Amino acid sequence: MEKVKIGNCILELVKGDITEQDTEAIVNAANSRLVPGGGVDGAIHRKGGPSILEELRKKYSGCPTGKAVITKGGNLKAKFVIHAVGPVYKDGKSGEADLLASAYRSSLELAVKHSINSISFPALSTGAYGYPVKEASRIALSTVIEFLKEHQKPELVRFVLWDHNTFQIFKKSLKSLI
């Protein structure tokens, strides 16, 4: 685990399973149709149960890339799931960085709006969407650090990274940014 203080807030990096986090909210790497997919999305829907999809269908007709929506957490430890839609990586020159930063910012804005004090993120867009982890880690971390400096909340932002390699890349990026 890596932990840094940003003002009164804590930013953590951990290796693990996002569906097991005890933060008030976890972020789902959703698709724009908000239907269960593979990877993080599939794992959250499987563990959280059908009530998450039912709430998504009732409240939203989709979510644009770079934005996020919120539901209750169903059977998860987390009280809420924030469904963020990151970009599919094309060439790095098609606005992907802005859209990825926006997905993180939108998630944090929803957390603040709903008085959520702790939130866990996966490495958005780095799985099936093909975003290079090194580039994505710098965008994710710099966006979160900037948000925490400006808003001084949520109190805890945790990045939950599935594998050792992704964890190491995020750790190296974090050290270069602070």
Side-chain angles (χ1 to χ4, degrees):
M1 179 197 290
E2 285 292 306
K3 187 187 285 195
V4 296
K5 232 170 148 39
I6 313 286
N8 296 322
C9 305
I10 293 172
L11 173 59
E12 288 180 347
L13 305 179
V14 300
K15 192 172 154 292
D17 179 349
I18 197 157
T19 67
E20 292 296 321
Q21 300 308 302
D22 58 4
T23 50
E24 288 177 64
I26 62 173
V27 176
N28 179 20
N31 56 60
S32 60
R33 292 176 298 129
L34 299 174
V35 295
V40 168
D41 191 24
I44 287 172
H45 280 281
R46 279 191 301 279
K47 197 161 221 168
S51 66
I52 296 172
L53 181 57
E54 287 166 19
E55 187 177 348
L56 281 170
R57 285 187 174 148
K58 206 176 286 177
K59 286 184 173 176
Y60 311 104
S61 59
C63 181
T65 301
K67 298 295 181 198
V69 297
I70 190 168
T71 63
K72 290 189 174 63
N75 300 327
L76 297 162
K77 291 177 185 175
K79 188 175 175 185
F80 298 100
V81 177
I82 295 175
H83 306 265
V85 182
V88 173
Y89 188 83
K90 292 179 188 84
D91 55 12
K93 300 172 187 142
S94 303
E96 298 100 315
D98 290 339
L99 288 168
L100 185 58
S102 179
Y104 282 101
R105 229 180 346 271
S106 294
S107 299
L108 291 165
E109 287 165 357
L110 277 173
V112 169
K113 180 181 176 187
H114 290 270
S115 302
I116 293 167
N117 294 314
S118 59
I119 184 171
S120 291
F121 281 100
L124 294 173
S125 288
T126 61
Y129 284 11
Y131 216 110
V133 175
K134 188 176 179 182
E135 230 177 282
S137 69
R138 293 189 64 77
I139 294 163
L141 291 165
S142 60
T143 302
V144 168
I145 290 167
E146 183 182 303
F147 189 92
L148 292 177
K149 283 179 177 174
E150 185 180 336
H151 299 276
Q152 289 301 301
K153 48 179 127 171
E155 293 165 20
L156 171 65
V157 176
R158 178 181 296 152
F159 280 90
V160 183
L161 308 159
W162 182 249
D163 62 78
H164 179 75
N165 188 46
T166 304
F167 177 81
Q168 291 302 323
I169 291 169
F170 267 74
K171 185 175 164 181
K172 193 173 180 182
S173 290
L174 181 60
K175 286 186 189 310
S176 76
L177 290 167
I178 53 168

